């Protein structure tokens, strides 16, 4: 089937937002996009409305379409939703994960530890996402998998908007990964697996928010 101009425009914008070409706050000018890609203005307007509905773009009166800039509240809402979605997906996938896939997950977690030791935060983040997506990939529900992937993508964009960091959290997350794999390998009750996976995400949220509050308090005291 031929892809419509609106779909083409949407795919172009979404890809460039995802890869950081159009970063947070970037102004998306329809005339400029049209000249660059030889697509008329109507498909661009349709794609921008779609991206706005999905939460990737803000359309501001008298300004135009801007790539969304995320804040602490947006990050917290995203990780709360991701915790629920990923917890369910991991619990559903547990019975379907093969020994080879679990061994791959262990290897990814070890690679994350090596990345930390080498101060390679970029590789740590990449392997972390691969670890989580692997555990969710066998849940047997394509819609759920798509929702998890979408929220992970949103998380990546938020991290590009601001560097979220809580000392010691990365190391603790590795131990939690191993604990989740232990539960899966032991054939634990799906509710236990779901709770552990969900709690893993909320632990990150709580650590980051606590660190953020501590830093804010220190800055106020210093001022």
């Amino acid at each position: 089937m031929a892809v419509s101009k609106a779909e083409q425009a949407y795919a172009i914008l979404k890809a460039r937002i995802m890869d950081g070409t159009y970063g947070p706050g970037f102004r998306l000018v329809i005339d400029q996009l049209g000249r660059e890609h030889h697509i008329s203005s109507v498909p661009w307007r349709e794609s921008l409305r779609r991206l706005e509905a999905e939460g990737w773009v803000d359309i501001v009166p008298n300004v135009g379409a801007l790539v969304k800039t995320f804040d602490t509240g947006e990050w917290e809402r995203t990780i709360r939703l991701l915790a629920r979605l990923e917890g369910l997906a991991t619990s559903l996938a547990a019975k379907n994960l093969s020994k080879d896939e679990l061994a791959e997950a262990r290897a990814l977690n070890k690679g994350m530890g090596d990345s930390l030791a080498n101060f390679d935060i970029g590789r740590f983040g990449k392997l972390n996402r691969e670890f989580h997506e692997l555990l969710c990939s066998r849940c047997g529900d394509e819609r759920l998998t798509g929702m998890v992937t979408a929220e992970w993508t949103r998380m990546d964009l938020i991290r590009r908007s601001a560097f979220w960091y809580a000392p010691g959290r990365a190391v603790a997350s590795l131990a939690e990964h191993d604990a989740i794999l232990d539960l899966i390998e032991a054939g634990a009750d799906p509710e236990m697996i779901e709770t552990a996976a969900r709690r893993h995400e909320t632990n990150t949220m709580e650590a980051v928010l606590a660190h953020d509050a501590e830093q804010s308090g220190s800055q106020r005291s210093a001022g």
Side-chain angles (χ1 to χ4, degrees):
M1 293 179 63
V3 178
S4 70
K5 292 294 186 181
E7 284 293 334
Q8 290 179 41
Y10 172 82
I12 291 167
L13 291 175
K14 186 72 173 287
R16 293 192 173 190
I17 292 172
M18 295 303 101
D19 68 15
T21 302
Y22 298 155
F26 185 89
R27 186 165 176 253
L28 300 164
V29 181
I30 290 176
D31 289 345
Q32 181 180 336
L33 291 167
R35 288 193 299 270
E36 183 180 349
H37 299 283
H38 307 290
I39 297 174
S40 66
S41 60
V42 173
W44 292 115
R45 288 193 180 93
E46 290 179 11
S47 64
L48 288 171
R49 284 195 292 269
R50 181 174 171 185
L51 288 165
E52 182 186 33
E54 293 176 356
W56 301 110
V57 165
D58 287 325
I59 298 179
V60 182
N62 302 318
V63 175
L66 305 174
V67 177
K68 191 174 184 66
T69 299
F70 297 97
D71 57 16
T72 304
E74 185 72 26
W75 179 83
E76 184 177 353
R77 288 189 291 274
T78 297
I79 200 168
R80 284 188 187 279
L81 177 57
L82 182 61
R84 293 286 181 179
L85 294 172
E86 194 171 313
L88 176 59
T90 303
S91 69
L92 292 174
K95 64 180 183 299
N96 300 322
L97 290 164
S98 68
K99 289 184 178 180
D100 287 345
E101 287 168 328
L102 289 171
E104 181 183 351
R106 295 277 188 192
L108 288 169
N109 203 39
K110 182 180 183 302
M112 289 171 63
D114 294 340
S115 298
L116 278 184
N118 293 321
F119 303 100
D120 189 344
I121 301 302
R123 183 168 181 266
F124 178 92
K126 177 178 180 292
L127 295 178
N128 184 53
R129 177 164 175 170
E130 289 180 15
F131 175 91
H132 286 275
E133 289 186 339
L134 173 60
L135 293 194
C136 294
S137 65
R138 301 280 282 147
C139 71
D141 186 330
E142 290 186 7
R143 183 181 178 192
L144 177 58
T145 302
M147 292 169 72
V148 170
T149 300
E151 293 309 312
W152 265 104
T153 300
R154 195 182 303 275
M155 287 290 292
D156 286 346
L157 286 174
I158 292 171
R159 290 190 180 102
R160 286 205 291 268
S161 297
F163 183 59
W164 301 98
Y165 174 71
R169 178 56 201 154
V171 174
S173 72
L174 299 180
E176 291 171 9
H177 285 173
D178 278 331
I180 292 169
L181 293 175
D182 288 344
L183 288 173
I184 294 172
E185 288 176 338
D189 183 85
E191 288 191 9
M192 289 182 63
I193 296 171
E194 179 174 354
T195 298
R198 186 172 67 244
R199 187 60 191 166
H200 169 63
E201 296 295 347
T202 55
N203 282 346
T204 296
M205 178 191 71
E206 290 168 1
V208 169
L209 293 178
H211 178 64
D212 185 58
E214 181 180 342
Q215 292 295 101
S216 297
S218 298
Q219 290 170 5
R220 285 194 297 271
S221 297

